[in-house]
Amino acid sequence: MSPSPDRLHLLHRMEEAQRQTQRQLDVIDRQITRRMTALIPSLGRKQSGYRRGKPPDPGAFLERYRASLAALTAERQPEIDALSRKLARQGQAIEALRERLGVDRDGRSAARHEQTGTKMDHHHAGPTSALWPETGSSI
Protein backbone atom coordinates (compact mmCIF):
# COMPACT_ATOMS: atom_id res chain seq x y z
CA MET A 1 0.00 0.00 0.00
CA SER A 2 1.38 3.38 -0.95
CA PRO A 3 1.21 6.40 1.36
CA SER A 4 -1.53 8.96 0.79
CA PRO A 5 -0.73 12.06 -1.27
CA ASP A 6 -1.47 14.24 1.78
CA ARG A 7 1.14 12.40 3.85
CA LEU A 8 3.69 12.61 1.05
CA HIS A 9 2.99 16.35 0.75
CA LEU A 10 3.56 16.69 4.50
CA LEU A 11 6.86 14.84 4.16
CA HIS A 12 7.97 17.13 1.32
CA ARG A 13 7.03 20.22 3.34
CA MET A 14 9.02 18.92 6.31
CA GLU A 15 12.03 18.22 4.09
CA GLU A 16 11.81 21.73 2.62
CA ALA A 17 11.67 23.23 6.13
CA GLN A 18 14.78 21.22 7.02
CA ARG A 19 16.58 22.50 3.91
CA GLN A 20 15.62 26.08 4.87
CA THR A 21 17.05 25.60 8.37
CA GLN A 22 20.27 24.25 6.85
CA ARG A 23 20.42 27.27 4.53
CA GLN A 24 20.11 29.57 7.57
CA LEU A 25 23.08 27.82 9.19
CA ASP A 26 25.03 28.13 5.94
CA VAL A 27 24.26 31.86 5.77
CA ILE A 28 25.62 32.36 9.30
CA ASP A 29 28.76 30.43 8.36
CA ARG A 30 29.27 32.58 5.25
CA GLN A 31 28.72 35.77 7.27
CA ILE A 32 31.38 34.73 9.79
CA THR A 33 33.74 33.82 6.94
CA ARG A 34 33.19 37.20 5.25
CA ARG A 35 33.83 39.08 8.49
CA MET A 36 37.01 37.11 9.12
CA THR A 37 38.18 37.74 5.57
CA ALA A 38 37.66 41.47 6.10
CA LEU A 39 39.60 41.32 9.39
CA ILE A 40 42.69 39.56 8.00
CA PRO A 41 44.49 42.74 6.85
CA SER A 42 44.11 44.34 10.25
CA LEU A 43 45.33 41.19 11.99
CA GLY A 44 48.50 41.14 9.94
CA ARG A 45 49.45 44.79 10.58
CA LYS A 46 50.32 44.14 14.19
CA GLN A 47 53.53 42.41 13.23
CA SER A 48 56.43 44.58 14.26
CA GLY A 49 58.94 43.14 11.84
CA TYR A 50 62.56 42.89 12.90
CA ARG A 51 62.72 45.05 15.98
CA ARG A 52 66.02 45.09 17.82
CA GLY A 53 67.18 42.05 15.89
CA LYS A 54 64.22 39.92 16.96
CA PRO A 55 62.33 38.20 14.11
CA PRO A 56 58.51 38.44 14.08
CA ASP A 57 56.63 35.67 15.81
CA PRO A 58 55.09 33.50 13.06
CA GLY A 59 52.45 32.12 15.42
CA ALA A 60 51.22 35.54 16.53
CA PHE A 61 49.07 36.07 13.42
CA LEU A 62 47.51 32.64 13.76
CA GLU A 63 46.81 33.27 17.44
CA ARG A 64 45.11 36.61 16.66
CA TYR A 65 43.14 34.97 13.83
CA ARG A 66 41.89 32.17 16.08
CA ALA A 67 40.96 34.61 18.85
CA SER A 68 39.00 36.79 16.41
CA LEU A 69 37.26 33.77 14.91
CA ALA A 70 36.31 32.53 18.37
CA ALA A 71 34.92 35.96 19.26
CA LEU A 72 32.85 36.20 16.07
CA THR A 73 31.57 32.66 16.47
CA ALA A 74 30.72 33.27 20.14
CA GLU A 75 28.54 36.22 19.10
CA ARG A 76 26.45 33.94 16.89
CA GLN A 77 26.70 30.78 19.01
CA PRO A 78 23.21 30.97 20.58
CA GLU A 79 21.68 31.28 17.11
CA ILE A 80 23.88 28.47 15.76
CA ASP A 81 22.96 26.20 18.68
CA ALA A 82 19.23 26.89 18.31
CA LEU A 83 19.31 26.18 14.57
CA SER A 84 21.39 23.03 15.10
CA ARG A 85 18.88 21.72 17.65
CA LYS A 86 16.02 22.57 15.30
CA LEU A 87 17.78 20.77 12.44
CA ALA A 88 18.25 17.66 14.60
CA ARG A 89 14.58 17.69 15.64
CA GLN A 90 13.49 18.10 12.03
CA GLY A 91 15.69 15.21 10.96
CA GLN A 92 14.24 12.95 13.64
CA ALA A 93 10.67 13.91 12.71
CA ILE A 94 11.32 13.30 9.01
CA GLU A 95 12.88 9.90 9.68
CA ALA A 96 9.95 8.92 11.93
CA LEU A 97 7.44 9.95 9.26
CA ARG A 98 9.38 8.11 6.55
CA GLU A 99 9.39 5.00 8.73
CA ARG A 100 5.64 5.26 9.40
CA LEU A 101 4.93 5.79 5.71
CA GLY A 102 7.35 3.09 4.60
CA VAL A 103 9.12 5.53 2.27
CA ASP A 104 12.86 5.71 1.60
CA ARG A 105 14.96 8.88 1.14
CA ASP A 106 14.03 9.11 -2.54
CA GLY A 107 10.31 9.08 -1.73
CA ARG A 108 9.77 5.57 -3.08
CA SER A 109 7.96 2.88 -1.21
CA ALA A 110 10.40 0.83 0.85
CA ALA A 111 8.20 -2.25 0.45
CA ARG A 112 8.76 -2.16 -3.31
CA HIS A 113 12.54 -2.17 -2.77
CA GLU A 114 12.32 -5.06 -0.33
CA GLN A 115 10.32 -7.11 -2.84
CA THR A 116 12.92 -6.58 -5.55
CA GLY A 117 15.81 -7.04 -3.14
CA THR A 118 17.40 -3.69 -3.99
CA LYS A 119 16.84 -1.80 -0.75
CA MET A 120 20.00 0.04 0.24
CA ASP A 121 20.53 2.89 2.66
CA HIS A 122 22.74 5.29 0.73
CA HIS A 123 23.21 7.57 3.73
CA HIS A 124 24.95 4.97 5.86
CA ALA A 125 26.62 2.32 3.74
CA GLY A 126 28.45 0.88 6.73
CA PRO A 127 32.07 -0.01 7.38
CA THR A 128 32.54 -1.89 4.10
CA SER A 129 31.78 1.07 1.85
CA ALA A 130 34.43 2.76 -0.27
CA LEU A 131 34.67 5.62 2.23
CA TRP A 132 35.32 3.32 5.20
CA PRO A 133 37.62 0.47 4.18
CA GLU A 134 37.62 -2.67 6.27
CA THR A 135 41.04 -1.74 7.58
CA GLY A 136 39.37 0.93 9.71
CA SER A 137 41.40 3.83 8.35
CA SER A 138 39.56 6.99 7.55
CA ILE A 139 40.16 9.18 4.57
Side-chain angles (χ1 to χ4, degrees):
M1 183 172 109
S2 66
S4 72
D6 290 338
R7 292 292 189 169
L8 287 176
H9 182 69
L10 174 64
L11 177 62
H12 293 298
R13 280 191 1 229
M14 290 170 69
E15 289 170 339
E16 180 56 35
Q18 184 183 39
R19 284 189 290 274
Q20 180 62 32
T21 303
Q22 183 61 54
R23 280 192 291 270
Q24 289 173 330
L25 277 170
D26 293 342
V27 165
I28 292 170
D29 186 48
R30 286 192 302 273
Q31 288 171 344
I32 291 171
T33 301
R34 272 195 304 265
R35 286 182 67 187
M36 281 307 300
T37 302
L39 282 177
I40 287 175
S42 66
L43 294 175
R45 284 193 201 115
K46 294 180 181 174
Q47 286 184 341
S48 60
Y50 285 91
R51 196 179 267 183
R52 297 184 189 179
K54 182 179 174 188
D57 181 15
F61 171 79
L62 188 55
E63 187 177 316
R64 287 191 300 272
Y65 180 87
R66 287 180 179 156
S68 298
L69 180 59
L72 287 176
T73 304
E75 289 176 13
R76 304 296 297 269
Q77 198 61 50
E79 188 178 0
I80 292 168
D81 290 344
L83 288 171
S84 296
R85 287 190 303 270
K86 181 177 181 180
L87 196 60
R89 284 191 312 270
Q90 287 172 327
Q92 291 170 348
I94 289 170
E95 287 303 314
L97 183 58
R98 279 188 187 136
E99 194 172 305
R100 273 188 304 209
L101 296 177
V103 175
D104 65 5
R105 292 185 183 280
D106 298 325
R108 296 183 296 223
S109 173
R112 185 174 65 200
H113 288 289
E114 289 171 359
Q115 291 171 354
T116 60
T118 60
K119 182 177 180 184
M120 180 176 174
D121 186 2
H122 298 283
H123 181 68
H124 179 68
T128 58
S129 73
L131 295 177
W132 299 100
E134 289 183 355
T135 60
S137 64
S138 62
I139 296 178

